[in-house]
Amino acid sequence: MEMNDRNEDRISSLLQEKWAEGFGLHVQGIVFAAGAFLPCEGKKARSGSGLVTAITFLGESSVSSVLAENNGAWVHLTECDSIIPEGLNLRLSCGEGQMGNEGYVAVCAKNTNRLIWFAFFECSNPFSGLRFEEGVLIAENSYEQEWGFPLNAPQDFWIRPIA
């Protein structure tokens, strides 16, 4: 168990170090600071005059497993918006990866900018605006969609057209 704890600490430190340098793990899904990873697959389809995006989670994994397969699995991120919700010691941010189809949202500690969790998608396009409502981080993308992430359970997120 001790060996596993050291590996988790090493992975968590690496995630924080890369985050401070402006990088996130270049994988679709949700990465938690302790090293857990929820991979997903995303698909887009036209529906009438709009676009429908479907995300399917593929189980559970770990950042260790991702890095074992590809140690260079990092992407430079560009922040497009951030907010600090009133009464919370959190900083919420969103933006884009290096490709035009990539977007991310993240939750960090307000004073230290330490990453809590980070969600990255190759099918979302950049997220350009944020708001916070009733415990949910809501990010808008260029497909005129809102993606809502409950702070304490980001894997329970939803996607809907902007009204």
Side-chain angles (χ1 to χ4, degrees):
M1 186 75 162
E2 186 176 319
M3 183 67 125
N4 191 33
D5 289 344
R6 277 188 278 173
N7 189 45
E8 287 177 8
D9 289 345
R10 185 182 62 78
I11 292 298
S12 182
S13 294
L14 179 61
L15 282 169
Q16 297 299 342
E17 176 185 316
K18 289 296 204 178
W19 181 255
E21 294 171 356
F23 291 88
L25 201 58
H26 195 214
V27 290
Q28 272 203 120
I30 302 172
V31 174
F32 295 89
F37 170 53
L38 300 176
C40 69
E41 176 180 81
K43 295 182 180 176
K44 299 179 287 194
R46 286 270 168 219
S47 175
S49 62
L51 180 75
V52 174
T53 305
I55 303 294
T56 305
F57 282 100
L58 305 173
E60 296 181 21
S61 187
S62 68
V63 173
S64 295
S65 296
V66 171
L67 294 177
E69 293 177 25
N70 181 2
N71 196 29
W74 301 98
V75 61
H76 186 266
L77 303 172
T78 301
E79 184 176 270
C80 296
D81 195 12
S82 69
I83 58 174
I84 297 173
E86 189 174 323
L88 297 179
N89 189 27
L90 299 174
R91 181 176 182 277
L92 315 178
S93 68
C94 70
E96 62 186 331
Q98 292 177 283
M99 305 289 285
N101 59 316
E102 299 172 339
Y104 84 89
V105 296
V107 176
C108 300
K110 179 175 86 171
N111 296 330
T112 63
N113 203 38
R114 287 188 58 81
L115 184 65
I116 297 169
W117 61 260
F118 159 82
F120 184 86
F121 303 96
E122 295 173 348
C123 62
S124 65
N125 272 14
F127 292 106
S128 57
L130 279 181
R131 67 182 193 278
F132 183 71
E133 296 176 1
E134 299 177 16
V136 178
L137 178 163
I138 301 172
E140 295 181 10
N141 68 10
S142 59
Y143 287 135
E144 298 184 4
Q145 295 173 327
E146 294 178 327
W147 294 46
F149 298 85
L151 288 185
N152 296 324
Q155 67 276 12
D156 294 336
F157 73 93
W158 45 261
I159 304 169
R160 67 182 178 211
I162 293 175

